[in-house]
Amino acid sequence: MSDELFDSVDALLSGVRTGLPAPAERQRLRLAAGLTPAQIAAALRVDSTLVRGWEDGSAVPGPDIAPAYARLLAGLAERFPAPEQPAPEVPAVPQAFAAPAAVQEAADGLVVPLLDQNPDGSLVMGEAAPCVQCGQPSVYRAQGRPMHLGGFCRAAIPAPEAAAAAVTQQPAPAPADQAPTAPVPVVVPAPAAPAAPAPAASAPVRPVTTASTAPSARPRPAASRAHARPAARRPAGPAAPAAAARWWPAVALDVTEDGTWVLDVPQTPAPAGTKLGDWFAWLGTGLPLRVERAHPAGRGGDGMLCLTAAALKQLGLPATFPATEKALIALQAKLAKAAATVGMELSDQIGPSFHAFRRTGSAGGPKTSVRVTIAPWLGQGDSRQQATSALATPLATAPDGTKDGSTLTRRYRAFTTDLGTAPGATTASTAMLLLDAVRPRVEWVKDQVTGEWSSHLREGALPSGDLCVPPAAGARHPLTRELLGKGAAVCEEEDYKWWARELTTGETGRRFAVAVDVCASYLSVTDSLRLPIGPLELVKNPAWDGGKTAGLWWADFTGTPVDELLPHPATFHGRPPTGPGWYATPTVAYMATTYGFDPATITEAYLSTHTAPLLKEWTGRIRAGYKRAYADLGLTDGQSPEEFLAAYAVHKDTGGAPVRADALVLAGLYKSIYKGGIGKWADSARHLDDPVWLEKIAASWSYRPEIRFHIIAAARIAAHRRLRKTLQLTGRAPFAVNVDSYLYAADVPSPLELLPVKDDGTPVPGALRLGIAPGSHKHESSIPLVAVLETMERREHPSKLVHHYATDGTAIGPEQTAADGEAAGTGTDDVEEGGN
């Protein structure tokens, strides 16, 4: 009796130890508010799969997340109280059917065990022992007994007599005029002969998966699709002992001191043995590794398994990547032989990252594909082998400089949660992968008669093929060379480059030159920017529609007066144009609305057949990830200028905190992705010869130089608009500009005196302001004005001094050569054509 009472108390404690509502109530509150798991995950900065785990009982919030999650649920409970329902009559259940461990019914009707936890919220783990439900080995415990997590084992199958008895215990159907009585959920598996417990070395049972409608999509739980309507609740009754698969984008395989396999995602089963054959058999069991699709019409991606140094040693693989061709061939043969024993294959090139897969119909198991990354090998091998894992290297680099597998997978999961896609080979290619993920070009359709799948371009998709027009074909294209050879003009929409003017008398009397830099300048314009999607067609004497149609316009701004203290808004060099030229729609619209340019003087234009905000979803993903990462570094929207300056001064000091270290790496990566993506629209791919470049690059859907021209023109115009409004409000103007770095003369080494504010002290919208949000500014450095004047007397640009002085005006290093200064002073958002 004492043990039964203790078990009852433990079961009660396991259900309330988190201080949170029951999992079913958590899901009810989320659905009542119309929220998706992804939205909650973004707010709490966790993986959306973890949120679904909290709602079905297979995972428990950690001590650092539980208070915030509890606050969210409490707020939702106040707004959406549970409807009062009469207590149902519960029929008696024979004691013989009591569950062997504490269980909880998830919102989808599945029964999952509540596992024991340590005081910090982590799961209690012990030596592998047969699970009380399925007999498979498990290192987890429920009430001290071995048991698997929900979804990775099948409930113990009772004898046929017991199953039949369970059915007889169901209440009789209620009369038509009487409300039915809700029966107690009872787990009743399909009748089958009892299965003997499997030996400890056997492969773990694969989770049951749902069917997929896409031709190549991996099985996914229906609840993971944010756009799907919640399934109708089934009448209470016998529930099948199966759980939906749970997907993770990445997991690290490590080894404990006693040689036991351990993974950094508890819901993932471990390999059964330590040999390479055991490892490949485990890879081929259908692991819950998958990058979920970001759009209903898109596709997901392969999940990643990362091996740590200890796992590498346990599998008998070299600690470093082979340095000779002979050693590499031997390693590849060893891996291929072990993979073939379970019907799996490897990608052609073995490097720090490669694929292990099994084709449909191959012996050994179902079709599967997993990306394998070996953390200690990152950054090794030749350039071709390193290219396959170029972005994985910074993600895996721990603060101490080592390549750590757990660090890689933790950041990888945060990356995919933020952006909705996995990292590609380069930042530029990742930007295009993201665009195709959130705005798929192709849609798959199944023929209801033949059952065959076919693809077609979705409405508004960027078409393939060389669509270039002479004024905007890119520097490497033959059309550009031909036009320049004739002495004709081409489009030159670029960022500001090395503009400067003489200082006024009032400016020369000040002590410092304060450099401010725009944060994420492109992200501040790409959200709603209308871009050319269709081909450009030549139109004579075009009608101006206020800038609604994207395209290139032959305009002459030479007679249009502009502000003398600011760089010219229409030219990248900041000087007035000397004749007509080709300009993108944002430039023409600004000149017409701000300075009175007459669009009726435009004689011809190349106009897009389809104009739309192409990068809206793309911008939203990157901007959200960018702001989330900087929030972890203490930089958030709404900070006062003083608060922002103080937080920005120390935001790179991680103090050994993994959250801050991860955020610093991810923030830099997100900035490189949006900058590389802009450059990718005019990719010169210098490593390819001309014929190959024309075939593979110029004919690709992602080669659209006119799109890049529109983005850069819009960013330059947005910057000029902020500079102009600041000049009108304060009378202060920059005396030097390079890309998005501006130098102002100031009395003190601080930008605070430059900021226009309202009467209540708040910033003026649309003018110079401090902050981390895209389009806001940060303090880059303060330079003694004497040094600036000396540099300008040598006919050098003062922006070259920006990285030689700290924000308080003290020197931090010697002057660099002109070439080094040019590279250093290009600003954070400079994108050269084709830059990756």
Side-chain angles (χ1 to χ4, degrees):
M1 176 63 69
S2 177
D3 290 341
E4 292 182 2
L5 291 176
F6 287 157
D7 290 346
S8 299
V9 171
D10 290 342
L12 182 62
L13 290 175
S14 66
V16 300
R17 60 163 56 99
T18 62
L20 299 171
E25 176 64 5
R26 302 171 198 173
Q27 187 185 55
R28 185 197 71 79
L29 291 172
R30 176 177 62 78
L31 294 177
L35 299 175
T36 66
Q39 290 174 302
I40 293 181
L44 298 177
R45 300 168 193 161
V46 297
D47 194 290
S48 59
T49 311
L50 197 56
V51 175
R52 294 193 291 269
W54 298 341
E55 293 182 355
D56 67 13
S58 61
V60 177
D64 56 333
I65 298 295
Y69 189 39
R71 180 183 179 89
L72 171 65
L73 295 176
L76 294 178
E78 291 180 1
R79 302 184 184 185
F80 308 97
E84 296 184 2
Q85 297 180 352
E89 299 179 9
V90 181
V93 179
Q95 183 65 26
F97 290 98
V103 298
Q104 184 167 349
E105 184 184 8
D108 53 5
L110 305 176
V111 178
V112 294
L114 290 173
L115 300 183
D116 296 344
Q117 302 175 48
N118 295 308
D120 62 355
S122 60
L123 298 179
V124 174
M125 301 177 65
E127 295 183 358
C131 173
V132 298
Q133 291 192 110
C134 69
Q136 301 287 342
S138 175
V139 297
Y140 304 106
R141 300 293 185 267
Q143 298 183 27
R145 307 171 184 176
M147 186 173 293
H148 284 104
L149 291 164
F152 289 102
C153 78
R154 301 180 182 278
I157 301 177
E161 296 80 7
V167 175
T168 61
Q169 294 296 327
Q170 300 303 313
D177 58 349
Q178 181 179 344
T181 301
V184 174
V186 180
V187 176
V188 183
S202 63
V205 178
R206 290 196 306 122
V208 177
T209 57
T210 56
S212 175
T213 58
S216 60
R218 294 281 295 273
R220 298 165 11 115
S224 67
R225 295 190 293 270
H227 66 282
R229 182 177 300 175
R233 179 171 292 277
R234 299 178 181 178
R246 311 220 60 83
W247 299 111
W248 294 86
V251 63
L253 180 63
D254 202 359
V255 181
T256 61
E257 294 182 357
D258 60 358
T260 303
W261 291 117
V262 61
L263 296 108
D264 63 344
V265 174
Q267 287 84 342
T268 306
T274 59
K275 298 180 179 180
L276 270 178
D278 299 326
W279 179 62
F280 277 111
W282 175 68
L283 287 180
T285 57
L287 296 176
L289 295 177
R290 186 71 175 167
V291 177
E292 293 280 15
R293 58 183 178 180
H295 188 280
R299 293 187 179 186
D302 291 339
M304 182 190 72
L305 170 75
C306 183
L307 292 179
T308 64
L312 202 63
K313 180 179 180 181
Q314 180 141 300
L315 291 173
L317 298 176
T320 59
F321 190 74
T324 64
E325 187 69 20
K326 181 178 179 180
L328 179 59
I329 293 174
L331 172 63
Q332 188 160 359
K334 178 180 180 180
L335 291 171
K337 181 179 179 181
T341 60
V342 292
M344 298 192 71
E345 305 173 52
L346 305 178
S347 49
D348 294 337
Q349 293 294 327
I350 296 296
S353 184
F354 59 90
H355 274 83
F357 60 93
R358 183 189 290 118
R359 302 179 191 272
T360 302
S362 298
K367 176 183 177 181
T368 187
S369 180
V370 179
R371 185 178 187 88
V372 178
T373 298
I374 301 177
W377 292 358
L378 291 172
Q380 303 177 23
D382 58 28
S383 58
R384 181 177 52 179
Q385 292 156 343
Q386 292 184 37
T388 61
S389 56
L391 294 192
T393 301
L395 288 173
T397 304
D400 60 0
T402 60
K403 305 297 187 295
D404 178 61
S406 298
T407 299
L408 170 59
T409 55
R410 185 177 65 248
R411 294 173 180 173
Y412 194 98
R413 290 192 290 266
F415 183 100
T416 55
T417 298
D418 286 340
L419 299 193
T421 189
T426 65
T427 53
S429 61
T430 301
M432 293 304 163
L433 289 173
L434 173 60
L435 179 57
D436 197 33
V438 299
R439 191 186 178 97
R441 297 177 58 249
V442 174
E443 188 171 49
W444 288 86
V445 178
K446 183 178 182 180
D447 191 304
Q448 299 300 326
V449 178
T450 64
E452 297 293 331
W453 288 89
S454 61
S455 63
H456 62 86
L457 287 180
R458 299 176 67 240
E459 182 180 358
L462 292 173
S464 298
D466 191 343
L467 305 177
C468 291
V469 295
R476 186 172 181 179
H477 203 283
L479 289 175
T480 301
R481 298 175 182 174
E482 180 181 356
L483 207 59
L484 293 177
K486 297 177 181 179
V490 296
C491 184
E492 294 182 324
E493 295 280 21
E494 299 291 343
D495 291 305
Y496 283 125
K497 305 287 187 182
W498 310 111
W499 174 84
R501 60 167 174 80
E502 292 186 3
L503 278 72
T504 64
T505 303
E507 290 171 337
T508 56
R510 303 184 188 275
R511 297 176 53 205
F512 292 94
V514 174
V516 292
D517 184 83
V518 183
C519 297
S521 61
Y522 297 136
L523 290 183
S524 68
V525 299
T526 51
D527 180 58
S528 58
L529 179 63
R530 299 180 65 82
L531 294 170
I533 293 180
L536 299 182
E537 296 182 351
L538 181 61
V539 179
K540 297 293 184 178
N541 299 316
W544 178 251
D545 59 0
K548 296 179 181 178
T549 301
L552 305 174
W553 310 76
W554 182 252
D556 188 354
F557 300 136
T558 55
T560 305
V562 296
D563 297 280
E564 295 182 356
L565 292 179
L566 298 177
H568 196 283
T571 62
F572 70 90
H573 46 69
R575 300 185 299 274
T578 57
W582 291 102
Y583 299 94
T585 299
T587 299
V588 180
Y590 183 67
M591 293 297 294
T593 58
T594 305
Y595 295 105
F597 168 73
D598 184 6
T601 60
I602 298 176
T603 57
E604 58 181 338
Y606 283 93
L607 302 182
S608 174
T609 59
H610 184 190
T611 301
L614 173 67
L615 299 181
K616 184 176 183 62
E617 299 86 358
W618 182 86
T619 303
R621 291 275 185 166
I622 299 180
R623 186 170 56 191
Y626 165 90
K627 296 178 73 172
R628 183 205 60 78
Y630 274 113
D632 286 341
L633 297 172
L635 299 167
T636 60
D637 289 341
Q639 290 178 313
S640 68
E642 294 80 7
E643 290 173 338
F644 171 75
L645 291 175
Y648 191 82
V650 298
H651 82 281
K652 293 184 179 180
D653 300 332
T654 62
V659 172
R660 291 183 62 87
D662 293 353
L664 192 61
V665 171
L666 291 172
L669 195 56
Y670 297 154
K671 291 168 63 177
S672 297
I673 287 172
Y674 79 74
K675 290 190 292 184
I678 305 307
K680 187 69 173 176
W681 292 114
D683 187 2
S684 63
R686 297 178 179 89
H687 64 285
L688 300 176
D689 56 35
D690 287 351
V692 176
W693 180 84
L694 285 171
E695 177 185 358
K696 293 188 175 181
I697 304 299
S700 170
W701 66 269
S702 61
Y703 185 79
R704 297 290 297 270
E706 70 274 19
I707 290 181
R708 177 180 175 274
F709 285 144
H710 276 72
I711 295 171
I712 292 183
R716 191 188 66 244
I717 292 302
H720 192 277
R721 184 181 288 110
R722 289 190 292 266
L723 297 178
R724 185 171 187 267
K725 188 167 186 177
T726 302
L727 174 62
Q728 293 173 337
L729 294 173
T730 66
R732 310 287 284 270
F735 63 85
V737 175
N738 186 39
V739 190
D740 51 13
S741 179
Y742 316 134
L743 284 174
Y744 281 85
D747 294 320
V748 295
S750 170
L752 293 178
E753 68 177 82
L754 307 173
L755 306 179
V757 295
K758 300 178 182 178
D759 294 338
D760 59 0
T762 58
V764 176
L768 185 70
R769 61 184 301 172
L770 296 178
I772 199 61
S776 296
H777 301 74
K778 59 181 180 288
H779 186 191
E780 201 170 11
S781 71
S782 295
I783 310 167
L785 196 62
V786 174
V788 168
L789 295 175
E790 292 176 353
T791 300
M792 296 181 72
E793 288 177 359
R794 297 194 300 267
R795 302 185 68 83
E796 296 179 1
H797 199 274
S799 289
K800 296 179 178 181
L801 301 175
V802 166
H803 295 279
H804 300 307
Y805 289 87
T807 54
D808 61 357
T810 58
I812 57 176
E815 288 191 3
Q816 298 176 328
T817 62
D820 292 340
E822 182 175 353
T826 54
T828 58
D829 291 339
D830 185 26
V831 179
E832 296 298 330
E833 182 170 282
N836 289 339

